[in-house]
Amino acid sequence: MQKVRTVVLPEESRIVCLYKLPELADAFAITLPPEAPDDITRLARILFANPPYWFRCLLTCRDALVRPFGIRTSAQLREKLMAEGALRIDFFPVLSVKNSELIIGHDDCHLDFRTSVLVRQLGHGKEREVVLTSVVRCHNRTGRLYTWLIAPFHRAVVSSMLHKASDRQWR
């Protein structure tokens, strides 16, 4: 089983300098096996497929808690993207796909966020790793409170997603 590592924000990612002083900025990586897909969109879909049960429960709670504040639920975001025919991964709009990096994200009244799925070479060999980087910029107290509350769960979810994809052999 591959080990998920916390890594320095990757300089080659297009999101690391997006926000001058992000309220949240982190990156996690795992080494890819040789048989892992080369297509960045396919890798991203594998990563976000079948989230852990506990994450789905947390998402249900999150949706119930944010609805009264006018923040869109995951179902509302998904429905909107489907109606628009937008490229998406679950309820996250895909904002950019370039070679070895796919970026999802959303701008809202309380915060803007971006998540990057980046594949890069390890050292001088043929080994590759996938790096999930997230950055968040808050606009108000609601955004800062929300980010503070979800940050520990965010880190656990990202790590879990990387582990699950690895356990499924990136299929």
Side-chain angles (χ1 to χ4, degrees):
M1 179 159 122
Q2 291 290 329
K3 185 176 185 225
V4 175
R5 306 174 305 282
T6 303
V7 296
V8 174
L9 298 178
E11 291 178 16
E12 59 268 56
S13 174
R14 290 175 285 130
I15 70 168
V16 297
C17 296
L18 190 60
Y19 307 130
K20 190 172 184 165
L21 295 170
E23 276 77 9
L24 182 140
D26 59 25
F28 298 86
I30 193 166
T31 303
L32 289 167
E35 65 274 8
D38 291 327
D39 178 27
I40 192 65
T41 302
R42 188 163 169 225
L43 271 174
R45 289 191 188 287
I46 291 168
L47 273 168
F48 287 91
N50 304 314
Y53 175 75
W54 58 267
F55 170 72
R56 290 192 304 268
C57 292
L58 284 172
L59 189 59
T60 300
C61 291
R62 175 246 179 231
D63 287 345
L65 290 170
V66 301
R67 185 183 303 247
F69 297 100
I71 298 170
R72 293 184 194 145
T73 66
S74 56
Q76 290 170 326
L77 290 168
R78 188 180 300 110
E79 288 168 13
K80 180 180 182 288
L81 292 171
M82 288 173 66
E84 293 170 352
L87 183 57
R88 66 185 177 85
I89 295 180
D90 194 14
F91 58 89
F92 300 112
V94 175
L95 303 177
S96 173
V97 181
K98 290 194 179 174
N99 301 325
S100 60
E101 186 177 35
L102 180 140
I103 298 171
I104 60 173
H106 183 71
D107 295 343
D108 213 330
C109 60
H110 64 299
L111 61 79
D112 301 337
F113 86 91
R114 298 293 184 271
T115 296
S116 160
V117 179
L118 174 76
V119 174
R120 64 183 179 182
Q121 295 298 124
L122 279 174
H124 299 293
K126 292 184 180 181
E127 271 192 322
R128 302 174 297 152
E129 71 178 353
V130 62
V131 183
L132 253 65
T133 305
S134 300
V135 293
V136 175
R137 173 181 59 191
C138 298
H139 299 297
N140 52 36
R141 279 189 244 165
T142 302
R144 284 187 290 284
L145 175 63
Y146 178 78
T147 300
W148 180 78
L149 289 171
I150 64 104
F153 300 108
H154 158 79
R155 293 178 184 105
V157 168
V158 170
S159 183
S160 177
M161 288 176 10
L162 286 163
H163 274 296
K164 281 188 81 168
S166 179
D167 289 348
R168 288 191 316 268
Q169 306 284 308
W170 297 93
R171 290 187 210 125

